[in-house]
Amino acid sequence: MKLKFITFFVSLITVSVFSQETEFVAKVSKNKLGLNQRLRVEFSINKQGADNFAPPNFKNFKIVGGPSHSVSQSWINGKATFSQKYSYIIKPLNKGEFNLPSASIEFEGKTLQTQPVKIIVTDEVEVPKNPNDPDYIAEQNIHLVAEISKSRPYVGEGIYVEYRLYFSNNVGIYDNAVTEAPQYNGFWNQEIKRDGSQVKTALYNGEEYRYAVLNKALLIPTKSGKLTIDPMKMDIVVAVPTGRGDFFGNPITKQIRKEYASARKVVNVKQLPLEGKPESFSGAVGEFTYELTSSKNVLKANESSQIKVEVKGVGNLKLFKLPKIETPKELEVYQPERKEKVNITTGGLSGSVTDNYTVVPAYKGKYKIPKTEFSYFNPRDEKYHTIATDDIFVDVTEGKELVTNTSENQVVKQNVVTTGKNFRYIQTSTSLAPLVKSDFYRSPLFYVLLLLPIAFIPIAIIINKKKEERDADIIGSKQRKADRLARKYLSESKSRLGNKEAFYEALERALHNYLKAKLRVETSDISREKISQLLQEKGVEISTIDEFISVLKDCDFARYTPITNVQMNQEYEKAKQVITQIDKQL
């Protein structure tokens, strides 16, 4: 029975592998290099059974390593993959542009060929004496880059900066931490939310790299001139190849810790033009619409109406003033209520900003609220635009008549006329008596309150006895204490379940905060090996330490891989259990 199952399983893998489309490709470690540098060329086919591999003619290049042959096969999430690779290390002999010719291989009676690869060879570059130096390899294969959307914006014009970590296929990343966040002096700034840190592929300096977006922020310059964006700095644990391979031909790597920094960026901010600048301009930059509306145009005296001043669009919505309305003195106007519905995007702030005025008329009549103007500067056409509204009329149909001086159109004050009935004689004494009379003494409530303390005595005895039993249970007490401590440190991460990036950041911070409180050291600044050593010195079991380090590694790995809510819940429970176990042993 077992033999049949194994035969079926192997057949299933074979069918799955052969169902893939045949690919025979050539890849190089870099497309551009100096005359004194080397590069790795790899030819791979994704089908089993290919034979008679013929390398290309390495004209203008010298083979300094290889060929090395490796075969790998895997089964992940029900999908089988196969790869057969032939690798060479070559060195250029001359400067110039060269096309690496096609390699060939035979598969199922057909001859497959790779596409030629373009390689640019420049003058000699400065390299260390040992080309396999891990620091040199890490420096050449990982780049922290700050990219800005526009280098010459206007004052008030929104741009964005994006920090990308590029890393080639030759190295791996096992840990990273931001040691110095960038500073945005002279900018209004706000971080742009991202949907996780997905790993993508792109060209960098003409070579294919993988990259992840680490941070993205909206920047709005508040002054003109040269504004500097300081670098972001990171500590990264990099796995670099040692030049040796294992039994199966896979490269053996070595982990090193290295600091990286993005380049300092300079943004040349242009001043807004003075020519054509309207008097009503208050600093709005972008593309907007403007409205002045009233909730009621016909109402009664002492009935309120809402006058709304609203600006919609995309731009620096939070950095300018809205126009103010002017009303006749017969209308009582309250301070406006500000409402903002603003979203942060790469194009700037989008949404609306509104001032709501409450207007209450006191007299009957028809009143005019004069029109207003709103001006803004559009960076696309580099022009000022002005939007004017219409007058708003408020018709008060019922209420007291307004007595005015027709010559000056002003309200005339009138003296109060007494009729003899305005005020009546105020009585100075009363003969009031209570409707219901009752005494508290000897009432039912009196006896209940009198006997209540006596009834509490047996309850207090029972509670005290239960407490003594709980205190005597030393093991259970330690377990409850450890559980409470785990819930305390993991409360933030639990609240962020479902948001992958925020959850794993909170989970990792909780683990370090727990160790900081227990060991009285700042564990976020030390390596995992040092953490393991400290816990061993405190008498924590090796298996528990391994579980703790495993959770820390999962936090780093999850930032670059898709994770489900179920996996996040499992990771939370795993962290809770390991904190409980450590606390019981400390």
Side-chain angles (χ1 to χ4, degrees):
M1 184 66 182
K2 289 184 178 179
L3 182 60
K4 289 183 179 179
F5 176 76
I6 293 171
T7 304
F8 171 75
F9 184 71
V10 171
S11 302
L12 186 62
I13 293 178
T14 305
V15 170
S16 179
V17 169
F18 277 92
S19 66
Q20 301 171 5
E21 185 179 350
T22 306
E23 289 185 352
F24 182 44
V25 295
K27 290 185 179 180
V28 294
S29 58
K30 56 181 69 178
N31 294 87
K32 186 177 181 181
L33 71 160
L35 186 59
N36 58 335
Q37 290 182 297
R38 302 175 178 183
L39 75 152
R40 179 185 179 90
V41 184
E42 185 179 86
F43 304 95
S44 63
I45 186 168
N46 65 339
K47 288 296 182 67
Q48 193 172 5
D51 201 359
N52 296 329
F53 169 76
N57 179 11
F58 289 104
K59 186 180 178 181
N60 298 310
F61 293 91
K62 178 183 178 182
I63 299 175
V64 295
S68 62
H69 179 217
S70 65
V71 175
S72 63
Q73 187 168 323
S74 62
W75 178 274
I76 301 174
N77 296 329
K79 184 178 180 181
T81 59
F82 175 85
S83 178
Q84 181 173 315
K85 298 178 181 178
Y86 302 86
S87 302
Y88 294 84
I89 304 296
I90 61 175
K91 181 180 179 180
L93 300 176
N94 303 294
K95 292 192 302 180
E97 282 190 15
F98 307 104
N99 277 329
L100 193 65
S102 303
S104 64
I105 198 168
E106 294 181 3
F107 177 70
E108 294 184 347
K110 296 181 180 179
T111 300
L112 306 178
Q113 290 186 329
T114 61
Q115 293 291 330
V117 180
K118 183 179 178 182
I119 299 174
I120 301 174
V121 182
T122 63
D123 291 326
E124 291 188 359
V125 297
E126 186 178 351
V127 296
K129 294 181 180 179
N130 179 16
N132 293 321
D133 178 36
D135 282 332
Y136 174 72
I137 295 174
E139 183 179 346
Q140 293 296 311
N141 289 275
I142 294 182
H143 308 278
L144 180 58
V145 180
E147 298 182 355
I148 54 176
S149 60
K150 193 173 185 179
S151 60
R152 288 184 56 80
Y154 281 99
V155 173
E157 181 182 0
I159 63 174
Y160 69 86
V161 60
E162 185 174 271
Y163 291 89
R164 293 184 176 186
L165 184 65
Y166 287 91
F167 49 100
S168 73
N169 294 317
N170 301 324
V171 297
I173 295 178
Y174 282 86
D175 191 12
N176 67 85
V178 176
T179 57
E180 188 174 324
Q183 299 296 317
Y184 307 116
N185 296 320
F187 294 93
W188 182 95
N189 65 88
Q190 183 70 48
E191 184 177 351
I192 300 174
K193 292 184 178 180
R194 297 168 292 112
D195 297 331
S197 300
Q198 296 181 353
V199 177
K200 300 179 181 178
T201 304
L203 291 178
Y204 177 73
N205 287 341
E207 299 176 25
E208 186 178 275
Y209 276 79
R210 294 172 293 166
Y211 76 90
V213 178
L214 304 177
N215 183 273
K216 198 170 187 178
L218 171 68
L219 307 179
I220 299 178
T222 56
K223 59 182 180 181
S224 61
K226 290 186 177 181
L227 301 182
T228 302
I229 301 175
D230 292 334
M232 171 190 277
K233 295 182 180 180
M234 296 186 69
D235 267 348
I236 301 176
V237 176
V238 188
V240 298
T242 61
R244 295 178 287 117
D246 59 15
F247 177 78
F248 298 100
N250 298 315
I252 298 175
T253 61
K254 176 183 178 181
Q255 292 187 17
I256 63 169
R257 183 178 291 272
K258 191 170 178 62
E259 184 179 69
Y260 293 85
S262 62
R264 180 178 280 103
K265 290 290 185 179
V266 176
V267 180
N268 294 296
V269 183
K270 296 183 288 185
Q271 183 62 270
L272 294 174
L274 297 176
E275 184 179 355
K277 183 177 180 180
E279 291 184 5
S280 58
F281 180 73
S282 61
V285 178
E287 295 186 35
F288 304 102
T289 60
Y290 173 62
E291 286 185 334
L292 177 67
T293 56
S294 173
S295 62
K296 293 180 182 179
N297 294 95
V298 179
L299 62 160
K300 302 175 183 178
N302 299 320
E303 185 180 352
S304 66
S305 175
Q306 300 291 323
I307 306 297
K308 183 168 71 174
V309 179
E310 183 179 41
V311 173
K312 292 182 181 179
V314 179
N316 58 343
L317 279 166
K318 294 187 176 183
L319 303 180
F320 59 82
K321 295 180 180 179
L322 295 182
K324 294 186 178 295
I325 65 171
E326 295 182 2
T327 61
K329 53 181 172 292
E330 294 83 8
L331 300 179
E332 185 175 1
V333 181
Y334 295 89
Q335 285 295 324
E337 177 188 2
R338 172 63 61 95
K339 289 185 178 180
E340 296 180 352
K341 295 181 180 178
V342 179
N343 298 315
I344 299 168
T345 65
T346 55
L349 300 172
S350 65
S352 65
V353 178
T354 306
D355 277 349
N356 282 317
Y357 293 83
T358 300
V359 177
V360 181
Y363 299 96
K364 181 180 179 181
K366 192 170 186 178
Y367 306 99
K368 181 178 80 171
I369 298 176
K371 62 183 180 181
T372 58
E373 286 187 352
F374 172 73
S375 299
Y376 65 93
F377 179 78
N378 191 337
R380 292 193 178 184
D381 58 15
E382 298 183 337
K383 292 181 181 179
Y384 289 98
H385 299 264
T386 300
I387 303 173
T389 64
D390 295 328
D391 296 332
I392 292 179
F393 292 92
V394 178
D395 190 6
V396 184
T397 56
E398 296 182 19
K400 293 185 291 183
E401 293 286 346
L402 178 65
V403 180
T404 61
N405 187 323
T406 56
S407 61
E408 298 180 0
N409 197 29
Q410 294 180 346
V411 177
V412 178
K413 294 183 178 180
Q414 301 181 15
N415 295 325
V416 177
V417 179
T418 59
T419 61
K421 296 182 180 180
N422 299 76
F423 301 97
R424 297 186 181 276
Y425 177 73
I426 299 175
Q427 199 167 335
T428 58
S429 62
T430 64
S431 57
L432 301 176
L435 296 176
V436 179
K437 183 178 180 181
S438 61
D439 292 330
F440 172 71
Y441 180 65
R442 292 186 179 182
S443 66
L445 181 60
F446 170 79
Y447 289 108
V448 169
L449 295 177
L450 183 65
L451 298 175
L452 194 60
I454 300 173
F456 274 115
I457 294 175
I459 298 174
I461 293 172
I462 294 172
I463 293 173
N464 188 55
K465 187 175 181 181
K466 290 289 184 181
K467 184 177 181 301
E468 289 176 354
E469 291 176 356
R470 286 172 63 89
D471 293 342
D473 184 9
I474 298 175
I475 297 176
S477 180
K478 290 188 71 176
Q479 177 69 35
R480 288 189 294 273
K481 180 182 177 182
D483 287 343
R484 288 196 300 271
L485 194 64
R487 287 194 298 270
K488 170 188 172 184
Y489 280 97
L490 296 173
S491 59
E492 182 183 356
S493 58
K494 185 176 182 180
S495 65
R496 297 179 184 274
L497 281 169
N499 185 338
K500 184 188 77 171
E501 185 175 355
F503 168 74
Y504 280 103
E505 287 179 359
L507 185 61
E508 183 177 17
R509 186 165 55 249
L511 295 174
H512 282 292
N513 287 341
Y514 169 73
L515 288 185
K516 179 180 178 181
K518 283 294 179 181
L519 304 179
R520 301 185 183 280
V521 294
E522 185 60 64
T523 60
S524 59
D525 297 331
I526 61 178
S527 65
R528 292 169 185 160
E529 291 77 10
K530 183 65 176 177
I531 291 174
S532 299
Q533 181 183 344
L534 290 172
L535 290 175
Q536 288 181 36
E537 292 173 358
K538 293 291 184 179
V540 180
E541 296 177 359
I542 298 297
S543 60
T544 305
I545 297 173
D546 291 342
E547 284 290 326
F548 186 87
I549 298 300
S550 173
V551 176
L552 281 178
K553 288 182 179 179
D554 289 345
C555 290
D556 293 332
F557 180 74
R559 295 176 184 174
Y560 302 105
T561 56
I563 298 293
T564 64
N565 290 343
V566 174
Q567 290 172 297
M568 281 189 274
N569 274 296
Q570 292 173 349
E571 206 69 58
Y572 171 80
E573 292 298 330
K574 185 177 177 182
K576 181 179 174 183
Q577 291 174 9
V578 76
I579 288 180
T580 301
Q581 290 299 321
I582 291 177
D583 201 68
K584 288 167 63 179
Q585 297 173 33
L586 287 176

